[in-house]
Amino acid sequence: NCIEQLSNIENKYEKIENKYEKIENKYEKIEKKYEKIEIKTMKDAGWLDFDYSVFAERFAADEETVKKIYRKYIPYLSKYSKVLDLGCGKGYFLKLLKENNIEGFGVDSDRELVKICKDNGFEVYCADLMEFLSECQDGSLEAIFMGHVIEHLPVNIKIKFLNICYKKLKKGGMLILETPNTTSVHVMHNLYYLDPTHQNPLLPEAYKHLAKIAGYSIVNSFLSDEISDIDNREYYNYSL
């Protein structure tokens, strides 16, 4: 009869639904496993075999210079309760966040730099940046800042980095990147290749395009920090 047929259909539908749920769960597990295995870390990319803390001690800008450069990002981050600083180094940006009543925490792969941050009372983790992000819960991060790190990544890792940050950010979250201005002749001739760990340079428009195809809405994109001791008007950095 009709009632019996309807009951059989409902049972079959329930079995199909349960089967689909199991497949979906299995897919999620495979996806997480794939994320851990297939995301090639920066260490695998080869650049972390270099003792970067020694290099940074010799060539990096001092605290006040760094804070002056990064101060322009505070208005963008003031609405967030906690900001992740990827590649936090000695913690200069974390200090700047604290001075502006914004809670921050950081990640760096260099143990010496992490120790400096921890000695200054900051919440900082020693980890590969991509591995750290892959362990974060999806949609759990409010805002991410990464200053002068993305230029160290090969293009395929840049793309994976942008994708995983997008996945880990909350709706309405923000990613801020600063990188050397590769449109500047002065920067390219005097600064970019001073760092032996820098990868092939990308132009600002290429960074914007990669960000857009990863799903980001571009809030602002500009050249920053004018170079004062040259004839032509050029800028040290590119902000995205």
Side-chain angles (χ1 to χ4, degrees), residues 136-150:
C136 292
Q137 189 177 342
D138 292 357
S140 63
L141 301 174
E142 291 185 50
I144 300 170
F145 172 80
M146 190 164 82
H148 292 271
V149 178
I150 199 164

Side-chain angles (χ1 to χ4, degrees), residues 45-240:
W47 74 277
L48 286 182
D49 293 334
F50 180 70
D51 191 345
Y52 201 80
S53 60
V54 176
F55 178 83
E57 190 66 36
R58 168 69 179 82
F59 292 104
D62 61 77
E63 180 178 340
E64 288 310 309
T65 301
V66 172
K67 284 160 73 174
K68 183 182 176 183
I69 291 168
Y70 286 167
R71 195 164 281 121
K72 58 182 170 285
Y73 302 118
I74 294 300
Y76 293 100
L77 297 169
S78 58
K79 65 179 180 180
Y80 299 104
S81 60
K82 197 166 188 179
V83 176
L84 171 59
D85 182 4
L86 290 174
C88 60
K90 291 183 178 180
Y92 296 158
F93 188 66
L94 292 173
K95 284 186 182 181
L96 185 62
L97 289 172
K98 188 177 180 181
E99 288 167 9
N100 287 273
N101 301 312
I102 303 169
E103 188 180 351
F105 68 113
V107 182
D108 205 286
S109 59
D110 191 297
R111 292 185 184 280
E112 292 300 317
L113 298 178
V114 169
K115 184 179 183 304
I116 290 169
C117 290
K118 286 187 172 181
D119 288 347
N120 285 320
F122 293 111
E123 178 190 350
V124 173
Y125 302 93
C126 186
D128 176 272
L129 307 189
M130 293 289 278
E131 288 178 353
F132 180 87
L133 285 169
S134 69
E135 293 296 325
C136 292
Q137 189 177 342
D138 292 357
S140 63
L141 301 174
E142 291 185 50
I144 300 170
F145 172 80
M146 190 164 82
H148 292 271
V149 178
I150 199 164
E151 63 271 14
H152 296 273
L153 310 181
V155 174
N156 62 322
I157 310 301
K158 283 180 172 72
I159 292 167
K160 286 178 179 177
F161 168 78
L162 289 169
N163 286 333
I164 196 169
C165 283
Y166 186 83
K167 193 176 179 182
K168 303 304 175 179
L169 283 166
K170 290 181 177 179
K171 189 176 180 181
M174 180 170 287
L175 170 65
I176 294 178
L177 302 174
E178 183 175 286
T179 187
N181 171 23
T182 52
T183 66
S184 164
V185 174
H186 178 82
V187 169
M188 294 308 296
H189 281 197
N190 297 281
L191 300 171
Y192 194 86
Y193 288 110
L194 174 65
D195 190 327
T197 66
H198 281 177
Q199 298 290 314
N200 292 337
L202 287 186
L203 292 173
E205 285 303 312
Y207 278 114
K208 277 177 73 174
H209 177 71
L210 292 179
K212 283 179 179 176
I213 62 175
Y216 296 91
S217 298
I218 308 298
V219 175
N220 208 344
S221 167
F222 54 92
L223 299 178
S224 56
D225 310 302
E226 189 173 352
I227 302 169
S228 58
D229 54 351
I230 61 172
D231 294 333
N232 297 325
R233 192 171 191 179
E234 294 186 16
Y235 297 85
Y236 282 114
N237 300 310
Y238 170 60
S239 306
L240 178 62

